[in-house]
């Protein structure tokens, strides 16, 4: 095969390459063919970070560019470490390898409906039910031993300290309102005491959001049916994984917040927990409150970060 996967100097060049499957689908199919896999009906997934192709209805090929090699390490290590340890299906590794410096995985394809396609239309009781299941799933993942994932970089203390150092500049750049920026220094001081830096770490998925899980409906009840995409896994303090469902799904609704936290193993949130979660939300590697807080009119309903933490983690 004469075609080769190129190397890119910047993210924009890679994104342009990924967005045009004509440039790489042939190579993906050659990789699949080399493992004796069915390539008769490939399906290119347009969204996502890597090159992703569905092979029949049973398998998925994920090819990681060299600059995102850490995602390959996280995904491969997580799928291997969590295999057989959860009540919820996750993909199984079928094959792995490397082509032109690009590592790849062939994994099983899970059955179900993508959460982001269903979530907006669900009744409130169904949303609370699912958030409880999400809390339970996060806790189950975190009970698994770290195994080789303990070696994933960055380590929690170094990661958090770097996030704290760059936090204010990040949120100024992203246009966080001045009334919230004013309280950021106080919050970061509190964060240094509220966020454990040296507690025994757990597996952190990083993104428990509707785009990363599958749902199934039985007798008019929707339930979690699968969890996937472990490319952002790191290890650290357990509360970090409450931020995705807290921001994108709980939406400041007391019943939803309560269901998520109870499923996770927490009682009604007190001031210290709300404060810690607010700090972690601002310190998350993907943090952007203007885009991620799914509460209508939240910028006008809170006058500072203390009021905002009460709004987001209501109940």
């Amino acid at each position: 095969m004469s075609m080769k996967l190129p190397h890119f100097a910047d993210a924009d060049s890679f994104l342009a390459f990924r967005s045009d499957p004509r440039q790489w689908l042939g190579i993906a199919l050659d990789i699949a063919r080399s493992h004796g896999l069915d390539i008769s009906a490939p399906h290119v997934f347009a969204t996502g970070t890597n090159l992703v192709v569905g092979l029949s209805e049973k398998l998925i090929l994920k090819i990681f560019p060299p600059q995102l090699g850490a995602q390959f390490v996280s995904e491969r290590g997580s799928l291997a470490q969590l295999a057989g340890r959860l009540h919820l299906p996750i993909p199984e590794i079928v094959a792995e390898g490397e082509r032109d410096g690009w590592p790849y995985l062939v994994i099983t394809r899970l059955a179900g409906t993508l959460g982001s396609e269903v979530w907006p239309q669900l009744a409130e009781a169904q949303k609370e039910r699912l958030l409880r299941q999400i809390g339970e799933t996060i806790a189950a993942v975190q009970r698994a031993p770290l195994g080789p994932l303990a070696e994933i970089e960055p380590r929690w203390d170094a990661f958090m300290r770097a996030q704290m150092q760059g936090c204010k500049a990040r949120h100024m750049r992203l246009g966080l309102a001045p009334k919230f920026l004013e309280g950021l220094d106080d919050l970061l001081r509190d964060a240094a005491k509220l966020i454990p830096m040296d507690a025994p770490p757990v597996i952190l998925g990083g993104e428990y959001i509707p785009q990363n899980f599958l749902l199934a409906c039985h007798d008019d009840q929707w339930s979690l049916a699968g969890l996937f995409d472990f490319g952002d896994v790191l290890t650290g303090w357990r509360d970090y994984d409450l931020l995705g469902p807290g921001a994108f799904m709980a939406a400041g609704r007391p019943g939803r917040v309560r269901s998520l936290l109870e499923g996770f193993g927490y009682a009604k949130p007190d001031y210290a927990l709300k404060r810690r979660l607010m700090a972690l939300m601002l310190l998350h590697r993907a943090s952007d409150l203007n885009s991620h807080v799914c509460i209508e009119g939240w910028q006008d309903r809170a006058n500072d970060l203390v009021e905002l933490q009460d709004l987001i983690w209501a109940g």
Side-chain angles (χ1 to χ4, degrees), residues 81-103:
Q81 188 64 17
L82 294 173
R85 299 184 186 274
L86 304 179
H87 65 283
L88 197 65
I90 62 172
E92 298 176 13
I93 299 174
V94 174
E96 62 182 272
E98 185 178 289
R99 173 68 67 91
D100 304 321
W102 295 50

Side-chain angles (χ1 to χ4, degrees), residues 18 24 43-48 50-55 59-60 109:
R18 191 193 71 191
W24 56 265
H43 170 72
V44 174
F45 289 88
T47 59
N50 305 289
L51 310 182
V52 185
V53 183
L55 304 170
L59 299 175
I60 288 177
R109 190 169 182 174

Side-chain angles (χ1 to χ4, degrees), residues 207-230:
E207 291 189 330
Y208 287 91
I209 55 178
Q211 293 90 331
N212 289 345
F213 55 75
L214 297 168
L215 305 178
C217 188
H218 301 286
D219 298 326
D220 297 323
Q221 291 284 337
W222 286 90
S223 299
L224 289 184
L227 183 66
F228 63 95
D229 194 351
F230 294 87

Side-chain angles (χ1 to χ4, degrees), residues 244-257:
F248 286 97
M249 303 174 73
R253 303 286 187 94
R256 296 189 205 177
V257 172

Side-chain angles (χ1 to χ4, degrees), residues 9 15 21 32 34 50 85 109-110 114 203 215 218 225 275 310:
L15 292 176
S34 73
N50 305 289
R85 299 184 186 274
R109 190 169 182 174
L110 304 177
L114 194 63
I203 298 172
L215 305 178
H218 301 286
R275 191 70 168 161
D310 287 335

